[in-house]
Amino acid sequence: MQFKDYQYQRPDVESFKRDFNAYLEDFNHSESVEEQNDVLMKIMKLRNTAETMFTLASIRSSINTKDEFYDKEKEFADVNSPLFQEMVVELYKALLASKFRPQLEQKWGKHIFNIAEVELKTFSPEVITLMQEENKLASEYQKLRASAEIEMDGKILNLAQMVPYRQSKDRKIRQEASEKMFGFFAENQDKFDELYDKMVKLRHKIAVKLGFDNYVQLGYYRLVRTDYTAKDVAAYRQQVAETLVPVSLDLKKRQQKRLGLSEFKYYDEPLNFLTGNPTPKGEEAELVASAKLMYSELSPETKEFFDFMTEHKLMDLVTKAGKAGGGYCTYMPDFRSPFIFSNFNGTSHDVDVLTHEAGHAFQVYQSRDYALAEYVWPTYEACEIHSMSMEFFAWPWMDKFFKEDEAKYKFSHLEGALNFIPYGVTVDEFQHYVYENPEATPAERRAKWREIEKKYLPYRDYDGNKFLEDGGFWFMQGHIFTTPFYYIDYTLAQVCAFEFWGKQQEDRAKAWADYLRLCRAGGSDSFLNLLKVGNLHNPFIPGTIAKIIEPIKTYLDNVDDSKF
Ligand code: ZN
């Protein structure tokens, strides 16, 4: 069966609720652990079917946003999925209260109970209306961003369309593009300030109502972080400041030299090479054919996985009229199928889809046999290890995708990944300040941002741009508004992926075995325990980053980038 033949049927909310409640009754009155476990499996099946249908509707509506049928179904899913979540909360309560808990823990491990505990801490009926308000504010941010109409090159452009201009080889153009883009944020400074201020105060209020001192720990629990705290993350940021910032500064100096500039301004940063960024050679058909070859040679597991994706047509890659923007990887449990969605644009991003998003899809394909829905995907920081490491496992085949640009691609891949971490940490430290000081004024917040930026991005020169000098850069970072504390996950995963890069240089077979074991563990354990499964070092422990980036640094030092 191909994706187009997957049958959609709208979930019936009433019967779902009825069945779910009946099962919960059965669960609570089970006479044995076997009986309770059987009921648990029935509940999982019920949840999986609803989730499969919601996901299917959402995929089809993103492939064609003009499809009226799936547009309605997606709306139905948006309205009704919170109801399903409410039922899951009831399941968590029942699980935690189970008289067979020790036996269930033996069967499923402690992690499901830790998840249940944390999820319950983030929720109470008295915060529902506040949470709805929070969602509304998040959509307002998206709308405000989407309202950008920037005049450039005789056209009216949105923020995404500004990217190529910001990377222009012509310095005047990239300067103009950056100034105009941030000009949009500067013009709307009051609106962004007001919106964010509302969000921060609202989140603080929710946190206090739920019994927390402030939003920080609630934010961590919402991301289901069960085994590390803000203190661990602060120590990790300290490592970044000490070990990575000097390396990043050095890389930025090399970039400045490559570009032949006597002064390196913020608007120069998006351009990496005067000869342009590395691009894949070929269109969709060639790139997918190369990916097929790559995955067939990489391992038997990747071959089976990618054959499955192509045979069932589980990828929609090319930009088409009416298609939603962006890219994602998702999963439909009842069809046991991952799905990859993207908008190819002729940049190296197209190859990232076939490595990064495919890495996510590969993991979920490997862990799809877990009967507990909670164990199929792990938390975000672990998820990104699968995707970012697959980008590195794919390296030996990059000549197929980039041809003469291979060496340039590899250099910029490592360089970009490394330079990203200090920025990611900036975003994270800023948010800790914000939620620990909910009464700070917008001006105080912006001043703090600039102060933190100077610590982690010491090369940044805003060329006297008042808005940016005052600390407004973060207005463009959507995560800060919509998903607090999420951003650090990308940096944690990048450090782990770097470790896989290093392991591959030493013993590729062993590195792959570790990676495969990690993928197969899915979300069956917490972040730090999953690291143990993958034989990875804990990035929170001082000294870890220094050790991991050593071979990366050596590699970059030995590349003659003047020839790019
Ligand atoms: Zn990802």
Side-chain angles (χ1 to χ4, degrees), residues 82-93:
L83 282 175
F84 290 77
Q85 272 161 20
E86 259 180 78
M87 302 298 301
V88 174
V89 166
E90 293 309 311
L91 169 66
Y92 289 154
K93 285 184 191 158

Side-chain angles (χ1 to χ4, degrees), residues 186-197:
E187 280 159 30
N188 291 284
Q189 177 170 310
D190 290 348
K191 285 185 198 159
F192 281 104
D193 271 341
E194 196 192 317
L195 188 56
Y196 192 56
D197 197 56

Side-chain angles (χ1 to χ4, degrees), residues 130 133-142 192-206 215 222 434-435 438 445 474 478-484:
L130 296 176
E133 219 175 298
E134 193 187 352
N135 288 339
K136 238 196 267 162
L137 291 176
S139 326
E140 262 179 57
Y141 171 78
Q142 302 293 9
F192 281 104
D193 271 341
E194 196 192 317
L195 188 56
Y196 192 56
D197 197 56
K198 276 190 197 162
M199 285 176 159
V200 171
K201 297 214 157 82
L202 184 65
R203 286 178 181 136
H204 182 72
K205 195 166 154 189
I206 296 174
Y215 182 75
R222 279 182 169 184
V434 166
Y435 291 103
R445 282 186 201 124
W474 57 275
H479 299 71
I480 294 178
F481 292 81
T482 59
T483 328

Side-chain angles (χ1 to χ4, degrees), residues 88-110:
V88 174
V89 166
E90 293 309 311
L91 169 66
Y92 289 154
K93 285 184 191 158
L95 264 175
L96 291 173
S98 164
K99 59 182 166 195
F100 303 110
R101 182 165 166 178
Q103 292 96 311
L104 286 174
E105 272 188 19
Q106 209 157 22
K107 182 163 176 63
W108 299 110
K110 277 196 187 332

Side-chain angles (χ1 to χ4, degrees), residues 356-357 360 383-384 387 490:
H356 182 105
E357 296 304 333
H360 286 306
C383 276
E384 294 303 323
S387 52
Y490 293 110

